[in-house]
Structures are given as C-alpha cells and as structure tokens.
Amino acid sequence: MTWILAHQRHFGPYFLDGTITDLEGKMKAEFDRVATDEMKENFDSAFYDFRYSNSVKYTHPAARAEDFQKPSRLQLNRPQKDLADILQVQDGLTVVSKPVMDIIQAAAPDTVQFWPFEILTRRGQLASDKAFFAMMVLKPCNAFRPDLSVEGSTREGSSGSGKWHIHQEKKAFLTGLVIEIAKTGGAPIWYEERIYQNPIFFADELGQQLQGGEFKLPPKFYQCVTA
C-alpha cells in the first residue's frame, strides 16, 4: 500500500487562514542586491518579472528553494487553536511539526527540503508551543495509474497534457487511486507529475510511522492501492 495526503479545501486546523508576511521583503532585498541600474529605473515592471520568475511552486518544485524564496512567517487571520502536526498554508505550502519533520527527514534526507516556519496570532504571538517547519518535497514520480484507479476517481486534463485531475471529496476516490510502486524507485515520499492537484504520496513504511505516532494528522491522509 501507499499513502496519500490530499489538499484540504476548507480553513481550519489543517488549512490555515493566514497571510505570509515576510516573503515580499525577502524578494525585494534580493532584487535590490542583483538588479541593474536599468532594472531599478523600471522598478515596477522589473520587480514584477523578478518576483514571478523566482517564485517557487511548492507542490512541484523545480529545485531547492534559496533563502530569499522561503516564506518563514504566517500571521493568522482568525484564531486557531490546536494546530495539526501536518497542515497547509497559502500557495500550497505544507508545514509540519518538528517530530514529523524528524521522521520524514530520517527516511528521505536528500529529497525533502525543510526550513523553520513561524505561525503567529493576529497579535503577533506564537500560535502554538510546537515548532514548525515548511516542507517541500523534491522527488517527482510518474507512477500513477489512472487506468487501474477506481471508476470516477479521475478526470483527464486538457488534450495532450498527459495529466489528470483527481476527485478529492470522497474517501472512496482517494483510496481507490492506484500507484505502480515499481515506478517510484523506492522513494519514501514523492509527488506525482501527472496529477494536477499535487498531493503528497508516502511509501507504506513511512505512512505507517506517521499514522502510528501520536500526531494530529489531516483527515485526508489515506492508504491507497499499489500495483
């Protein structure tokens, strides 16, 4: 079996309603460091292009994030108690508690990037006693088998894209997805290149470790089928 962590759709302890407050400043500082005089003279358009070209797709990154590309502070827009050990914030970024990070890092030291991440209340105080870390999975795989997955669980994307949408609202659809385990190359954690929503997949041993720990995990963390 494999495990899937699907994205949450509603704000709460697993998907935080908040605003990343430090990334714009980091981008601006890096722009000021590398910009030419011409770029500085045309700041509005040049900074927009710089920010766009250096934005990281956290759900399917092309490479490790540089320091100026790492958001590290989120301020909540509403009170939120009892934060989960795996949660999501804006732009698809996944954040985990330190004990969860330690387990994943031990299993996949080279294919997951972590960095410290603060979650603050509206008053600027830490929202939890837990230490959190942003997590970015760097390992892509092409092991998804839509042809074997349960009927109704997938929908083909635009013509020629070779990618698929998965229906995430029903547990039966998520647990009915099929992964060809031989094509993962033994990866303990990965994302599927052919799934638009970019859920995170875990090998069975790692998934069992997380499920068996005393963690508050998202409700859409399920076992799915292997072929």
Side-chain angles (χ1 to χ4, degrees), residues 1-226:
M1 304 293 284
T2 58
W3 293 74
I4 181 173
L5 176 65
H7 292 287
Q8 311 302 305
R9 295 176 60 89
H10 304 291
F11 289 132
Y14 309 103
F15 178 25
L16 300 184
D17 179 8
T19 303
I20 289 172
T21 60
D22 64 330
L23 186 59
E24 187 80 0
K26 291 181 178 182
M27 284 280 186
K28 176 62 167 55
E30 182 66 10
F31 175 85
D32 290 343
R33 188 182 72 83
V34 302
T36 64
D37 290 341
E38 182 180 357
M39 291 168 68
K40 292 178 180 178
E41 289 174 4
N42 299 280
F43 173 79
D44 288 345
S45 61
F47 182 58
Y48 175 86
D49 291 342
F50 175 85
R51 185 173 52 188
Y52 180 81
S53 62
N54 284 283
S55 295
V56 174
K57 295 179 174 61
Y58 303 115
T59 55
H60 50 291
R64 288 180 174 269
E66 301 292 337
D67 286 344
F68 74 94
Q69 298 171 312
K70 298 175 182 176
S72 58
R73 185 178 303 117
L74 180 99
Q75 189 156 25
L76 295 172
N77 294 329
R78 64 177 81 175
Q80 183 62 67
K81 296 181 180 180
D82 195 20
L83 299 180
D85 288 279
I86 300 179
L87 47 84
Q88 288 150 352
V89 299
Q90 67 186 72
D91 300 326
L93 182 64
T94 298
V95 177
V96 301
S97 66
K98 187 180 186 304
V100 169
M101 181 194 72
D102 290 342
I103 290 173
I104 295 175
Q105 197 167 45
D110 301 321
T111 56
V112 185
Q113 184 179 12
F114 295 97
W115 62 87
F117 192 88
E118 289 185 336
I119 300 171
L120 305 179
T121 67
R122 288 180 295 180
R123 295 183 177 182
Q125 300 171 328
L126 288 175
S128 173
D129 292 334
K130 298 177 184 177
F132 286 99
F133 294 80
M135 180 179 85
M136 197 164 71
V137 179
L138 304 171
K139 174 67 176 177
C141 286
N142 189 9
F144 175 51
R145 292 291 303 270
D147 56 317
L148 299 180
S149 297
V150 68
E151 184 177 357
S153 63
T154 64
R155 175 171 57 84
E156 193 168 6
S158 57
S159 178
S161 69
K163 299 187 72 172
W164 295 76
H165 297 276
I166 59 172
H167 297 298
Q168 301 186 78
E169 291 306 304
K170 292 185 178 180
K171 178 179 179 179
F173 287 157
L174 292 172
T175 58
L177 298 176
V178 176
I179 298 296
E180 189 172 348
I181 197 67
K183 290 187 176 181
T184 67
I189 182 171
W190 71 93
Y191 67 88
E192 283 291 326
E193 293 182 297
R194 294 195 298 151
I195 296 180
Y196 276 110
Q197 294 95 327
N198 298 111
I200 298 172
F201 289 87
F202 300 80
D204 189 49
E205 182 177 353
L206 180 54
Q208 294 281 6
Q209 278 187 276
L210 295 173
Q211 186 66 35
E214 295 183 358
F215 302 126
K216 183 175 182 178
L217 301 178
K220 292 182 180 179
F221 183 57
Y222 298 130
Q223 285 184 309
C224 53
V225 183
T226 54

